Every structure is written in C-alpha cells, then in structure tokens.
Amino acid sequence: MAMDKMKRRDALKAIGVSMVASGLLFHRCSNEKADRVVSRLNLDLKEGRELWERERLEELNSYTFFDPHERETLTELVDLIIPADEDSPSASDVKVPDFIEFIVKDQPELQQPMRDGLKWLDNYALQRFQGVFTGITADQRIDILDRIAYPESEHSEFMQGIAFFTLLRELTASGYFTTEAGIDYLGYVGNRPNVWEGVPVDVLRQYDLTDLIT
C-alpha cells in the first residue's frame, strides 16, 4: 500500500488499541459470542468449558466455509494488512485466517459479505490486470488495495470493495490483537499493581515542565 510497512503497523496498532479500549472488538457479538471470540485463542482447550460450548465448537470446526482459492486470497490479504516485521509475526503467522473462518461460521451474517467481497476483488483484478488477485504481481495487488483501503472518495465503482475491505480490516485487527503476539505488540499489560513515582521525566520535558524534575 502507499504507506510503508511501519506506518501500516502503527495504523493497525492504533486500530487495535481503540478496539480494545472501546469494546469494538465485540460490537457484533452477543455476550455468548464474545466469549467464543476470546476463546479462539485456545480453540482446542476442553477443560473449563460447558457442554454446550464444546458442542458448539465441534459444530463450527466440523466443516470449512472458505474454499481453497478463497482461503489463499484471504491469507494474502491479511498479510498485506499486517505483514511480518523485525519485531512481530504476520497475520497469517498467528492464524488470523483461521480466526476469520471461525467468526464467519459463528456469525453467518458475515458470510455473504465476505464471499461477495472476495469475488469482487477477483473480478476487479481480472478487469484491470487480466488475472485473479492472487495471480497478479505484488505491486498490482497493492494498487488495488490502495483504491479501497484509502479511497479519495467513495466512487460507486469501488463501493462494494470499500465495504469489504473495511470489514476485512476490522476482522484482521480483531484476530491479530487477540493473540499473544498481537497483545505483546500493543504493549498491553492489563491491571498490575505498581508504585506511583510521579509524572515521567520525558513527559515533563515534552510540556516544558523540567523545573518540576527533582
């Protein structure tokens, strides 16, 4: 995309922080579904689950929604959104495609938008570059995503693509930032006891309050 890798990661980090802070991560879910989103971190864990939870997980894991081509496209997309860098793994490295597979099966209302969006992406790639999304060059894939990820205006030609990418970006960030690697990247440590030692020195310097440094 137009932004470099680090800027993309910083932007996604901001999305992750805002999602955690606002509860947006679970805005599509009932309380029971939100519990299952959190539980995706350990989908194979059996202890501590009620019977209905185990049965539900077994049901969702008993079939596959995305076909192989859709899965290949999805994997390419999530890694374009959150690529690996020197500090952390890519989205596919932490199984974000598995997370999205799980979510669209758990929330069937997302299935058609995701499937239609992937079809739109292939159709646009064929029209513009004479190949499906996974069959064109990296620069060509980025060119397409720039048009729907950072649209200058919501042109009717791209409306479906923009809506799809907005949903995909949200799901990718949700999946990534509910993994150990994603939480580490956010720097989130939760509530921990500490000792108040005053305003940090770098903050005092930032606001020209160095006279308060003791």
Side-chain angles (χ1 to χ4, degrees):
M1 299 176 193
M3 295 192 299
D4 61 34
K5 185 182 293 184
M6 184 53 68
K7 288 182 179 178
R8 285 204 306 276
R9 274 195 166 275
D10 288 345
L12 264 295
K13 182 175 181 178
I15 292 172
V17 170
S18 66
M19 293 174 82
V20 171
S22 67
L24 179 61
L25 175 63
F26 308 124
H27 86 283
R28 297 180 181 275
C29 309
S30 65
N31 289 336
E32 291 179 356
K33 286 185 177 181
D35 289 340
R36 291 199 292 276
V37 172
V38 174
S39 74
R40 61 84 50 179
L41 291 166
N42 292 291
L43 293 179
D44 296 327
L45 182 65
K46 297 296 183 183
E47 293 79 6
R49 296 190 184 280
E50 295 188 22
L51 177 60
W52 71 267
E53 292 178 297
R54 296 198 298 272
E55 290 176 343
R56 178 62 173 162
L57 284 174
E58 288 172 3
E59 175 191 352
L60 295 178
N61 290 328
S62 67
Y63 69 98
T64 300
F65 174 72
F66 293 113
D67 66 34
H69 175 68
E70 290 171 332
R71 177 65 178 233
E72 181 186 7
T73 306
L74 185 63
T75 300
E76 178 66 32
L77 286 167
V78 300
D79 281 350
L80 284 168
I81 293 172
I82 305 184
D85 62 19
E86 62 276 9
D87 298 317
S88 49
S90 71
S92 67
D93 288 336
V94 295
K95 301 183 178 180
V96 167
D98 289 345
F99 167 80
I100 297 176
E101 168 84 17
F102 177 79
I103 289 296
V104 300
K105 290 189 293 190
D106 191 43
Q107 301 180 50
E109 67 273 14
L110 300 181
Q111 293 179 6
Q112 202 62 48
M114 286 297 294
R115 179 152 280 160
D116 288 348
L118 290 168
K119 288 180 180 177
W120 181 92
L121 199 64
D122 271 347
N123 288 337
Y124 186 76
L126 281 164
Q127 172 189 334
R128 184 169 175 79
F129 298 115
Q130 294 73 55
V132 296
F133 188 76
T134 55
I136 58 180
T137 69
D139 286 344
Q140 289 169 341
R141 290 195 292 268
I142 290 172
D143 178 83
I144 292 175
L145 293 193
D146 275 344
R147 297 171 186 272
I148 57 177
Y150 312 107
E152 295 181 0
S153 63
E154 295 190 354
H155 191 283
S156 59
E157 179 186 4
F158 300 109
M159 288 290 287
Q160 184 177 355
I162 293 168
F164 164 67
F165 192 81
T166 299
L167 172 61
L168 177 64
R169 182 165 47 199
E170 179 183 320
L171 290 174
T172 301
S174 296
Y176 194 86
F177 293 117
T178 51
T179 66
E180 183 177 353
I183 291 170
D184 286 346
Y185 186 76
L186 287 177
Y188 178 73
V189 297
N191 294 324
R192 295 185 179 181
N194 56 39
V195 176
W196 171 247
E197 297 179 344
V199 179
V201 172
D202 58 336
V203 175
L204 292 174
R205 286 177 177 147
Q206 178 182 353
Y207 293 97
D208 198 24
L209 296 172
T210 52
D211 57 313
L212 297 180
I213 299 176
T214 58

Short mmCIF file of all heavy atoms in Angstrom, two decimals, residues 77-122:
data_model
loop_
_atom_site.label_atom_id
_atom_site.label_comp_id
_atom_site.label_asym_id
_atom_site.label_seq_id
_atom_site.Cartn_x
_atom_site.Cartn_y
_atom_site.Cartn_z
N LEU A 77 -4.40 -11.35 1.68
CA LEU A 77 -4.95 -10.07 2.12
C LEU A 77 -4.56 -9.73 3.55
O LEU A 77 -4.14 -8.60 3.83
CB LEU A 77 -6.47 -10.09 1.99
CG LEU A 77 -7.04 -9.99 0.58
CD1 LEU A 77 -8.51 -10.34 0.56
CD2 LEU A 77 -6.83 -8.59 0.02
N VAL A 78 -4.71 -10.68 4.47
CA VAL A 78 -4.41 -10.36 5.87
C VAL A 78 -2.93 -10.05 6.06
O VAL A 78 -2.56 -9.22 6.90
CB VAL A 78 -4.87 -11.47 6.84
CG1 VAL A 78 -6.39 -11.67 6.73
CG2 VAL A 78 -4.13 -12.78 6.63
N ASP A 79 -2.07 -10.68 5.23
CA ASP A 79 -0.64 -10.38 5.35
C ASP A 79 -0.27 -9.05 4.69
O ASP A 79 0.76 -8.46 5.02
CB ASP A 79 0.18 -11.51 4.74
CG ASP A 79 0.31 -12.69 5.68
OD1 ASP A 79 -0.07 -12.56 6.86
OD2 ASP A 79 0.78 -13.75 5.24
N LEU A 80 -1.08 -8.58 3.77
CA LEU A 80 -0.88 -7.24 3.25
C LEU A 80 -1.33 -6.20 4.27
O LEU A 80 -0.78 -5.11 4.35
CB LEU A 80 -1.65 -7.05 1.94
CG LEU A 80 -1.02 -7.71 0.71
CD1 LEU A 80 -2.00 -7.71 -0.46
CD2 LEU A 80 0.27 -7.01 0.32
N ILE A 81 -2.33 -6.54 5.07
CA ILE A 81 -2.81 -5.63 6.11
C ILE A 81 -1.83 -5.60 7.29
O ILE A 81 -1.45 -4.54 7.78
CB ILE A 81 -4.22 -6.04 6.59
CG1 ILE A 81 -5.23 -5.83 5.45
CG2 ILE A 81 -4.64 -5.24 7.82
CD1 ILE A 81 -6.61 -6.38 5.75
N ILE A 82 -1.42 -6.78 7.76
CA ILE A 82 -0.45 -6.85 8.85
C ILE A 82 0.68 -7.79 8.43
O ILE A 82 0.62 -9.00 8.66
CB ILE A 82 -1.09 -7.35 10.17
CG1 ILE A 82 -2.29 -6.49 10.55
CG2 ILE A 82 -0.05 -7.31 11.30
CD1 ILE A 82 -2.93 -6.85 11.87
N PRO A 83 1.71 -7.24 7.80
CA PRO A 83 2.86 -8.07 7.39
C PRO A 83 3.79 -8.34 8.57
O PRO A 83 3.71 -7.67 9.60
CB PRO A 83 3.54 -7.19 6.35
CG PRO A 83 3.23 -5.79 6.80
CD PRO A 83 1.85 -5.84 7.41
N ALA A 84 4.65 -9.30 8.41
CA ALA A 84 5.68 -9.54 9.42
C ALA A 84 6.71 -8.42 9.38
O ALA A 84 6.91 -7.78 8.35
CB ALA A 84 6.36 -10.88 9.16
N ASP A 85 7.31 -8.14 10.50
CA ASP A 85 8.44 -7.22 10.54
C ASP A 85 9.48 -7.78 11.51
O ASP A 85 9.36 -8.91 11.97
CB ASP A 85 8.01 -5.80 10.90
CG ASP A 85 7.38 -5.68 12.28
OD1 ASP A 85 7.59 -6.60 13.11
OD2 ASP A 85 6.69 -4.68 12.54
N GLU A 86 10.48 -6.98 11.82
CA GLU A 86 11.56 -7.48 12.67
C GLU A 86 11.12 -7.73 14.10
O GLU A 86 11.82 -8.41 14.86
CB GLU A 86 12.74 -6.49 12.65
CG GLU A 86 12.45 -5.10 13.20
CD GLU A 86 11.83 -4.18 12.15
OE1 GLU A 86 11.47 -4.67 11.07
OE2 GLU A 86 11.69 -2.98 12.45
N ASP A 87 9.96 -7.19 14.49
CA ASP A 87 9.52 -7.31 15.88
C ASP A 87 8.37 -8.28 16.10
O ASP A 87 8.16 -8.74 17.22
CB ASP A 87 9.09 -5.93 16.42
CG ASP A 87 10.23 -4.93 16.42
OD1 ASP A 87 11.34 -5.33 16.83
OD2 ASP A 87 10.03 -3.77 16.02
N SER A 88 7.62 -8.58 15.05
CA SER A 88 6.43 -9.39 15.26
C SER A 88 6.02 -10.13 14.00
O SER A 88 6.41 -9.75 12.89
CB SER A 88 5.27 -8.50 15.75
OG SER A 88 5.14 -7.35 14.94
N PRO A 89 5.23 -11.20 14.16
CA PRO A 89 4.85 -12.04 13.01
C PRO A 89 3.74 -11.41 12.19
O PRO A 89 3.09 -10.44 12.60
CB PRO A 89 4.38 -13.33 13.68
CG PRO A 89 3.86 -12.88 15.01
CD PRO A 89 4.75 -11.75 15.44
N SER A 90 3.52 -11.99 11.02
CA SER A 90 2.43 -11.53 10.15
C SER A 90 1.10 -12.05 10.66
O SER A 90 1.04 -12.91 11.55
CB SER A 90 2.66 -12.02 8.73
OG SER A 90 2.45 -13.43 8.67
N ALA A 91 0.03 -11.57 10.05
CA ALA A 91 -1.31 -12.01 10.43
C ALA A 91 -1.50 -13.51 10.19
O ALA A 91 -2.07 -14.21 11.03
CB ALA A 91 -2.36 -11.21 9.66
N SER A 92 -1.02 -14.00 9.06
CA SER A 92 -1.19 -15.43 8.81
C SER A 92 -0.32 -16.28 9.72
O SER A 92 -0.68 -17.43 10.03
CB SER A 92 -0.90 -15.76 7.34
OG SER A 92 0.46 -15.58 7.04
N ASP A 93 0.83 -15.74 10.16
CA ASP A 93 1.70 -16.48 11.09
C ASP A 93 0.98 -16.81 12.39
O ASP A 93 1.27 -17.83 13.02
CB ASP A 93 2.96 -15.68 11.40
CG ASP A 93 3.94 -15.63 10.25
OD1 ASP A 93 3.89 -16.54 9.39
OD2 ASP A 93 4.75 -14.68 10.20
N VAL A 94 0.06 -15.93 12.81
CA VAL A 94 -0.68 -16.17 14.05
C VAL A 94 -2.10 -16.66 13.76
O VAL A 94 -2.99 -16.56 14.60
CB VAL A 94 -0.70 -14.91 14.95
CG1 VAL A 94 0.70 -14.57 15.41
CG2 VAL A 94 -1.34 -13.72 14.23
N LYS A 95 -2.31 -17.18 12.54
CA LYS A 95 -3.53 -17.89 12.17
C LYS A 95 -4.77 -17.00 12.12
O LYS A 95 -5.88 -17.43 12.45
CB LYS A 95 -3.76 -19.09 13.09
CG LYS A 95 -2.62 -20.09 13.06
CD LYS A 95 -2.91 -21.31 13.92
CE LYS A 95 -1.76 -22.31 13.82
NZ LYS A 95 -2.00 -23.52 14.65
N VAL A 96 -4.59 -15.76 11.68
CA VAL A 96 -5.75 -14.89 11.51
C VAL A 96 -6.75 -15.45 10.50
O VAL A 96 -7.96 -15.34 10.72
CB VAL A 96 -5.31 -13.46 11.13
CG1 VAL A 96 -6.49 -12.61 10.65
CG2 VAL A 96 -4.65 -12.79 12.33
N PRO A 97 -6.32 -16.08 9.38
CA PRO A 97 -7.32 -16.69 8.50
C PRO A 97 -8.19 -17.72 9.21
O PRO A 97 -9.39 -17.83 8.93
CB PRO A 97 -6.47 -17.34 7.40
CG PRO A 97 -5.24 -16.48 7.34
CD PRO A 97 -4.97 -16.15 8.77
N ASP A 98 -7.60 -18.48 10.16
CA ASP A 98 -8.40 -19.43 10.95
C ASP A 98 -9.43 -18.69 11.79
O ASP A 98 -10.57 -19.15 11.95
CB ASP A 98 -7.50 -20.25 11.87
CG ASP A 98 -6.63 -21.25 11.11
OD1 ASP A 98 -6.93 -21.51 9.93
OD2 ASP A 98 -5.67 -21.76 11.71
N PHE A 99 -9.01 -17.57 12.36
CA PHE A 99 -9.92 -16.76 13.16
C PHE A 99 -11.10 -16.28 12.33
O PHE A 99 -12.26 -16.36 12.74
CB PHE A 99 -9.16 -15.57 13.75
CG PHE A 99 -10.05 -14.50 14.34
CD1 PHE A 99 -10.59 -14.65 15.61
CD2 PHE A 99 -10.34 -13.35 13.62
CE1 PHE A 99 -11.40 -13.66 16.16
CE2 PHE A 99 -11.14 -12.36 14.16
CZ PHE A 99 -11.67 -12.52 15.43
N ILE A 100 -10.80 -15.77 11.12
CA ILE A 100 -11.88 -15.26 10.27
C ILE A 100 -12.80 -16.39 9.84
O ILE A 100 -14.02 -16.23 9.81
CB ILE A 100 -11.28 -14.50 9.06
CG1 ILE A 100 -10.50 -13.28 9.55
CG2 ILE A 100 -12.39 -14.09 8.09
CD1 ILE A 100 -9.79 -12.51 8.44
N GLU A 101 -12.24 -17.54 9.52
CA GLU A 101 -13.04 -18.73 9.20
C GLU A 101 -14.00 -19.04 10.35
O GLU A 101 -15.19 -19.31 10.16
CB GLU A 101 -12.11 -19.91 8.94
CG GLU A 101 -12.77 -21.27 8.89
CD GLU A 101 -13.38 -21.62 7.54
OE1 GLU A 101 -13.02 -20.96 6.54
OE2 GLU A 101 -14.21 -22.54 7.48
N PHE A 102 -13.47 -19.02 11.57
CA PHE A 102 -14.27 -19.30 12.76
C PHE A 102 -15.39 -18.28 12.95
O PHE A 102 -16.55 -18.63 13.20
CB PHE A 102 -13.34 -19.30 13.98
CG PHE A 102 -14.05 -19.50 15.29
CD1 PHE A 102 -14.46 -20.76 15.70
CD2 PHE A 102 -14.28 -18.43 16.15
CE1 PHE A 102 -15.10 -20.95 16.91
CE2 PHE A 102 -14.93 -18.60 17.35
CZ PHE A 102 -15.33 -19.86 17.75
N ILE A 103 -15.04 -16.99 12.79
CA ILE A 103 -16.01 -15.94 13.02
C ILE A 103 -17.15 -15.98 12.00
O ILE A 103 -18.32 -15.84 12.36
CB ILE A 103 -15.33 -14.55 12.99
CG1 ILE A 103 -14.46 -14.38 14.23
CG2 ILE A 103 -16.39 -13.43 12.94
CD1 ILE A 103 -15.21 -14.38 15.55
N VAL A 104 -16.85 -16.19 10.72
CA VAL A 104 -17.92 -16.17 9.72
C VAL A 104 -18.82 -17.39 9.85
O VAL A 104 -19.99 -17.34 9.45
CB VAL A 104 -17.38 -16.04 8.28
CG1 VAL A 104 -16.60 -14.76 8.11
CG2 VAL A 104 -16.56 -17.25 7.87
N LYS A 105 -18.30 -18.47 10.41
CA LYS A 105 -19.17 -19.62 10.68
C LYS A 105 -20.02 -19.37 11.91
O LYS A 105 -21.18 -19.78 11.97
CB LYS A 105 -18.34 -20.89 10.84
CG LYS A 105 -17.71 -21.37 9.53
CD LYS A 105 -17.08 -22.74 9.63
CE LYS A 105 -15.87 -22.76 10.52
NZ LYS A 105 -15.13 -24.04 10.42
N ASP A 106 -19.45 -18.70 12.89
CA ASP A 106 -20.19 -18.39 14.12
C ASP A 106 -21.20 -17.27 13.90
O ASP A 106 -22.22 -17.21 14.58
CB ASP A 106 -19.19 -17.97 15.21
CG ASP A 106 -19.83 -17.89 16.58
OD1 ASP A 106 -20.61 -18.79 16.93
OD2 ASP A 106 -19.53 -16.91 17.31
N GLN A 107 -20.92 -16.38 12.93
CA GLN A 107 -21.81 -15.27 12.63
C GLN A 107 -22.16 -15.31 11.14
O GLN A 107 -21.53 -14.64 10.33
CB GLN A 107 -21.12 -13.94 12.99
CG GLN A 107 -20.73 -13.86 14.46
CD GLN A 107 -20.07 -12.56 14.81
OE1 GLN A 107 -20.57 -11.49 14.50
NE2 GLN A 107 -18.93 -12.63 15.48
N PRO A 108 -23.14 -16.11 10.77
CA PRO A 108 -23.45 -16.34 9.36
C PRO A 108 -23.77 -15.09 8.56
O PRO A 108 -23.62 -15.08 7.34
CB PRO A 108 -24.67 -17.28 9.43
CG PRO A 108 -24.56 -17.94 10.76
CD PRO A 108 -23.97 -16.92 11.67
N GLU A 109 -24.18 -14.01 9.23
CA GLU A 109 -24.50 -12.78 8.51
C GLU A 109 -23.27 -12.17 7.84
O GLU A 109 -23.39 -11.31 6.96
CB GLU A 109 -25.15 -11.76 9.45
CG GLU A 109 -24.25 -11.20 10.55
CD GLU A 109 -24.23 -12.05 11.81
OE1 GLU A 109 -24.68 -13.21 11.75
OE2 GLU A 109 -23.77 -11.54 12.85
N LEU A 110 -22.07 -12.61 8.25
CA LEU A 110 -20.84 -12.12 7.65
C LEU A 110 -20.41 -12.93 6.43
O LEU A 110 -19.50 -12.52 5.70
CB LEU A 110 -19.70 -12.13 8.68
CG LEU A 110 -19.88 -11.29 9.94
CD1 LEU A 110 -18.66 -11.39 10.83
CD2 LEU A 110 -20.17 -9.84 9.59
N GLN A 111 -21.03 -14.07 6.22
CA GLN A 111 -20.57 -14.98 5.17
C GLN A 111 -20.74 -14.39 3.77
O GLN A 111 -19.82 -14.41 2.97
CB GLN A 111 -21.30 -16.32 5.28
CG GLN A 111 -20.93 -17.09 6.53
CD GLN A 111 -21.67 -18.40 6.66
OE1 GLN A 111 -22.40 -18.81 5.75
NE2 GLN A 111 -21.49 -19.08 7.78
N GLN A 112 -21.92 -13.86 3.48
CA GLN A 112 -22.15 -13.34 2.13
C GLN A 112 -21.31 -12.11 1.84
O GLN A 112 -20.71 -12.01 0.75
CB GLN A 112 -23.64 -13.03 1.93
CG GLN A 112 -24.07 -12.99 0.46
CD GLN A 112 -23.87 -14.34 -0.22
OE1 GLN A 112 -24.27 -15.36 0.30
NE2 GLN A 112 -23.24 -14.34 -1.39
N PRO A 113 -21.20 -11.15 2.79
CA PRO A 113 -20.32 -10.00 2.52
C PRO A 113 -18.87 -10.41 2.27
O PRO A 113 -18.20 -9.84 1.40
CB PRO A 113 -20.44 -9.15 3.79
CG PRO A 113 -21.78 -9.50 4.34
CD PRO A 113 -21.97 -10.95 4.04
N MET A 114 -18.38 -11.41 3.00
CA MET A 114 -17.00 -11.85 2.79
C MET A 114 -16.85 -12.55 1.45
O MET A 114 -15.92 -12.26 0.69
CB MET A 114 -16.58 -12.79 3.93
CG MET A 114 -16.32 -12.08 5.24
SD MET A 114 -14.93 -10.90 5.15
CE MET A 114 -13.55 -12.03 4.87
N ARG A 115 -17.75 -13.45 1.13
CA ARG A 115 -17.65 -14.19 -0.13
C ARG A 115 -17.83 -13.25 -1.32
O ARG A 115 -17.09 -13.34 -2.31
CB ARG A 115 -18.68 -15.31 -0.14
CG ARG A 115 -18.70 -16.14 -1.41
CD ARG A 115 -19.18 -17.55 -1.11
NE ARG A 115 -18.12 -18.37 -0.55
CZ ARG A 115 -18.35 -19.50 0.16
NH1 ARG A 115 -19.59 -19.89 0.39
NH2 ARG A 115 -17.33 -20.20 0.59
N ASP A 116 -18.81 -12.37 -1.24
CA ASP A 116 -19.02 -11.42 -2.33
C ASP A 116 -17.84 -10.47 -2.48
O ASP A 116 -17.46 -10.09 -3.60
CB ASP A 116 -20.30 -10.61 -2.08
CG ASP A 116 -21.56 -11.43 -2.27
OD1 ASP A 116 -21.47 -12.56 -2.80
OD2 ASP A 116 -22.65 -10.95 -1.87
N GLY A 117 -17.24 -10.09 -1.35
CA GLY A 117 -16.09 -9.20 -1.41
C GLY A 117 -14.89 -9.85 -2.07
O GLY A 117 -14.18 -9.21 -2.86
N LEU A 118 -14.65 -11.11 -1.77
CA LEU A 118 -13.54 -11.83 -2.40
C LEU A 118 -13.79 -11.98 -3.90
O LEU A 118 -12.85 -11.86 -4.71
CB LEU A 118 -13.37 -13.20 -1.74
CG LEU A 118 -12.83 -13.17 -0.30
CD1 LEU A 118 -12.97 -14.54 0.35
CD2 LEU A 118 -11.37 -12.71 -0.26
N LYS A 119 -15.04 -12.21 -4.28
CA LYS A 119 -15.37 -12.29 -5.71
C LYS A 119 -15.17 -10.94 -6.39
O LYS A 119 -14.66 -10.87 -7.51
CB LYS A 119 -16.82 -12.76 -5.88
CG LYS A 119 -17.04 -14.23 -5.56
CD LYS A 119 -18.50 -14.61 -5.76
CE LYS A 119 -18.72 -16.08 -5.45
NZ LYS A 119 -20.15 -16.46 -5.56
N TRP A 120 -15.59 -9.87 -5.72
CA TRP A 120 -15.40 -8.54 -6.28
C TRP A 120 -13.92 -8.28 -6.54
O TRP A 120 -13.53 -7.74 -7.58
CB TRP A 120 -15.95 -7.48 -5.34
CG TRP A 120 -15.80 -6.08 -5.86
CD1 TRP A 120 -16.69 -5.37 -6.61
CD2 TRP A 120 -14.63 -5.23 -5.72
NE1 TRP A 120 -16.16 -4.15 -6.94
CE2 TRP A 120 -14.91 -4.03 -6.41
CE3 TRP A 120 -13.41 -5.39 -5.08
CZ2 TRP A 120 -13.99 -2.98 -6.48
CZ3 TRP A 120 -12.48 -4.34 -5.14
CH2 TRP A 120 -12.78 -3.15 -5.82
N LEU A 121 -13.09 -8.67 -5.58
CA LEU A 121 -11.65 -8.44 -5.69
C LEU A 121 -11.08 -9.16 -6.91
O LEU A 121 -10.30 -8.58 -7.68
CB LEU A 121 -10.97 -8.93 -4.42
CG LEU A 121 -9.57 -8.41 -4.10
CD1 LEU A 121 -9.60 -6.90 -3.86
CD2 LEU A 121 -9.01 -9.12 -2.89
N ASP A 122 -11.47 -10.41 -7.10
CA ASP A 122 -11.00 -11.17 -8.27
C ASP A 122 -11.51 -10.55 -9.57
O ASP A 122 -10.77 -10.44 -10.56
CB ASP A 122 -11.45 -12.63 -8.17
CG ASP A 122 -10.46 -13.50 -7.43
OD1 ASP A 122 -9.32 -13.05 -7.20
OD2 ASP A 122 -10.82 -14.63 -7.07
#
